[in-house]
Amino acid sequence: MQFKNIIGQESIKQQLIQTVAENRISHAQLFLSSEGSGALPLAIAYAQYINCLDKQVDDSCGECSSCRKYERYIHPDLHFSYPFFASKDVKTAVDVLDEWRSMVLADPYFDMDIWRSKLSAENKQANINIAECHDIIKKLSYKAFEAETKVLIMWLPEYLDKEGNSLLKIIEEPPQNTLFILVANNQEQILSTLLSRTQIVKVPKLPHATVESYLMDEFGLSENQATEYSFLADGNLIEAKQLVANTQNENADKFAEWLRMGYGNRVLDLTAFVEQIAGWGRENQKNFLKYGISFLRECSLLLSGAEDLVKLPVSAMETAKRLSTHVLNLSMADAIISELEKAHYHIERNANPKILFLDVSLQLVKIIKFKTLPKGTQYIYG
């Protein structure tokens, strides 16, 4: 994995390269990011750059023996640790290393759901267990086979329970030329004893424009479609790719039309729309609802006078402004968001889509047309 293969994150790349150039490589680092920002690819590219035999100014060479092994994730001094489902046949992470390598080779941008789908989970919970911690200590106690620096990349240390404390000594006083890189999404879920022993590298969300450009270049999407998916994914490249794979509908136009049907009390049109959306498939239905929730949250920012914070594309922005000026207020937007969130929850649990979307459509009519909000003190209509 070379830096040039990583989407965006140019400032972080330069920061990491600088630490190598200035010989300021901290022996234990935590790459902290939200999902889909590229923290794992960055960690791998960083390790490859450190051990490259012919470093370039801005990247590893990709040609030396070390780089060639890193590119296939078979370098003897590159170790991975990650959550897995322990069983009588799977005791440590190395027992599912082939599945891990094949997944990272296919696409280094993935999340726990994608990783889980590659394994036999049954009813077990994924974790990084005590046997894995002991295996890490054992592997790192050996001398390096080829590289100057042994590297352990641990993906999602949040899945370490108190057993992670067994790693504290080797992290605090590692063998010579050993580098730990922890790649995490939730700082508050990491053992505080581990956290205090690492240098944090914060990897920011990908900008919408970066995700847009990637989707247009990689998948040949139109600018409008790429803009919509980028907005919906909110910097998460994994989610943006899933939207490309699963969504076949123009969510922005469909959602705006759904609101217009509710505002016009067009019951026959709403019934026909329900029939249409019932045939979209569960993932498309969920993506449609997620788009609606995100769109209405942006409308809430407009209603609150925070237009500078709104991240809608131009066409959707015009729709949002019209809705916020002539139709919605904050209480109504909150009420509709609540209905959409409940619908998303029920779709995930195999609710009947015709019944569900008909009910939500009627709620839209009540809220938008008749300004009748659900009972409860959380809604105060003014």
Side-chain angles (χ1 to χ4, degrees):
M1 174 69 65
Q2 291 180 277
F3 285 122
K4 69 180 182 182
N5 301 128
I6 296 168
I7 313 303
Q9 306 298 6
E10 299 305 322
S11 63
I12 297 294
K13 293 175 189 176
Q14 289 306 312
Q15 177 185 327
L16 295 174
I17 289 167
Q18 197 70 18
T19 64
V20 180
E22 297 175 0
N23 197 23
R24 293 186 294 102
I25 304 170
S26 174
H27 72 271
Q29 301 183 41
L30 170 64
F31 284 33
L32 187 63
S33 74
S34 54
E35 280 188 352
S37 301
L40 179 62
L42 278 168
I44 298 170
Y46 184 40
Q48 179 168 324
Y49 186 72
I50 289 169
N51 282 314
C52 176
L53 303 177
D54 185 21
K55 295 180 184 64
Q56 309 299 300
V57 175
D58 58 355
D59 212 338
S60 52
C61 71
E63 300 292 337
C64 67
S65 60
S66 175
C67 282
R68 288 199 301 272
K69 290 174 183 175
Y70 258 87
E71 293 286 350
R72 291 180 288 157
Y73 309 113
I74 59 171
H75 197 292
D77 296 311
L78 171 65
H79 306 283
F80 290 102
S81 182
Y82 35 79
F84 59 92
F85 302 94
S87 67
K88 63 183 177 66
D89 298 317
V90 179
K91 294 180 172 57
T92 63
V94 75
D95 294 324
V96 287
L97 182 58
D98 287 343
E99 290 88 342
W100 172 265
R101 279 181 181 146
S102 117
M103 182 179 63
V104 182
L105 280 167
D107 188 349
Y109 290 82
F110 55 86
D111 57 19
M112 190 60 199
D113 287 338
I114 295 172
W115 174 226
R116 186 183 288 111
S117 72
K118 309 292 181 185
L119 303 174
S120 175
E122 299 174 356
N123 293 321
K124 299 183 179 69
Q125 294 291 325
N127 70 346
I128 300 174
N129 60 16
I130 189 66
E132 172 65 6
C133 294
H134 290 163
D135 193 52
I136 289 170
I137 295 168
K138 178 183 173 184
K139 284 187 290 197
L140 295 183
S141 65
Y142 299 144
K143 287 185 178 180
F145 287 90
E146 297 176 13
E148 185 177 333
T149 303
K150 289 177 294 182
V151 181
L152 176 95
I153 297 175
M154 179 179 284
W155 182 62
L156 299 186
E158 297 95 317
Y159 284 81
L160 271 171
D161 204 351
K162 59 182 183 298
E163 291 86 354
N165 287 319
S166 62
L167 297 174
L168 296 182
K169 181 172 176 56
I170 197 166
I171 289 177
E172 195 163 18
E173 300 175 17
Q176 190 174 11
N177 297 329
T178 301
L179 171 63
F180 288 87
I181 306 179
L182 311 181
V183 179
N185 299 138
N186 297 293
Q187 182 174 344
E188 55 280 359
Q189 292 177 14
I190 302 171
L191 288 170
S192 58
T193 47
L194 269 181
L195 205 56
S196 64
R197 288 164 172 79
T198 60
Q199 179 185 78
I200 296 179
V201 177
K202 291 190 176 178
V203 180
K205 275 185 183 180
L206 290 170
H208 285 214
T210 301
V211 177
E212 273 179 49
S213 298
Y214 172 80
L215 294 178
M216 286 189 285
D217 295 343
E218 193 71 16
F219 298 101
L221 296 186
S222 68
E223 185 175 352
N224 284 344
Q225 193 74 82
T227 300
E228 180 187 327
Y229 288 167
S230 169
F231 160 68
L232 192 55
D234 191 24
N236 183 339
L237 197 66
I238 300 165
E239 187 160 344
K241 289 181 180 183
Q242 289 172 342
L243 287 167
V244 173
N246 295 323
T247 304
Q248 300 166 354
N249 307 287
E250 295 283 347
N251 283 330
D253 294 340
K254 295 283 186 184
F255 187 74
E257 181 59 23
W258 195 27
L259 293 180
R260 281 192 287 268
M261 287 186 280
Y263 182 67
N265 194 17
R266 291 153 46 192
V267 176
L268 290 178
D269 289 340
L270 285 169
T271 305
F273 178 76
V274 168
E275 290 288 338
Q276 181 186 358
I277 198 173
W280 284 357
R282 200 165 302 281
E283 289 303 315
N284 289 332
Q285 291 161 358
K286 284 162 57 180
N287 289 334
F288 176 71
L289 291 167
K290 283 166 67 179
Y291 176 84
I293 292 165
S294 299
F295 176 79
L296 287 169
R297 285 177 177 157
E298 300 298 307
C299 288
S300 296
L301 289 174
L302 282 174
L303 289 162
S304 303
E307 185 174 339
D308 291 345
L309 301 178
V310 177
K311 299 176 182 177
L312 288 170
V314 175
S315 57
M317 185 68 159
E318 290 305 312
T319 304
K321 283 182 176 178
R322 286 196 298 272
L323 278 168
S324 303
T325 304
H326 303 295
V327 179
L328 294 177
N329 61 28
L330 271 174
S331 298
M332 293 165 73
D334 285 345
I336 298 171
I337 288 171
S338 177
E339 294 297 328
L340 298 182
E341 287 175 338
K342 285 189 290 184
H344 187 277
Y345 173 87
H346 290 301
I347 283 290
E348 284 189 321
R349 283 148 186 81
N350 298 321
N352 183 305
K354 284 188 183 180
I355 296 172
L356 181 68
F357 279 98
L358 181 59
D359 178 66
V360 178
S361 296
L362 296 175
Q363 294 301 324
L364 283 181
V365 173
K366 287 173 65 178
I367 294 167
I368 300 175
K369 175 65 177 176
F370 298 108
K371 299 180 172 55
T372 304
L373 299 180
K375 292 180 181 178
T377 54
Q378 70 271 35
Y379 301 111
I380 301 173
Y381 176 67

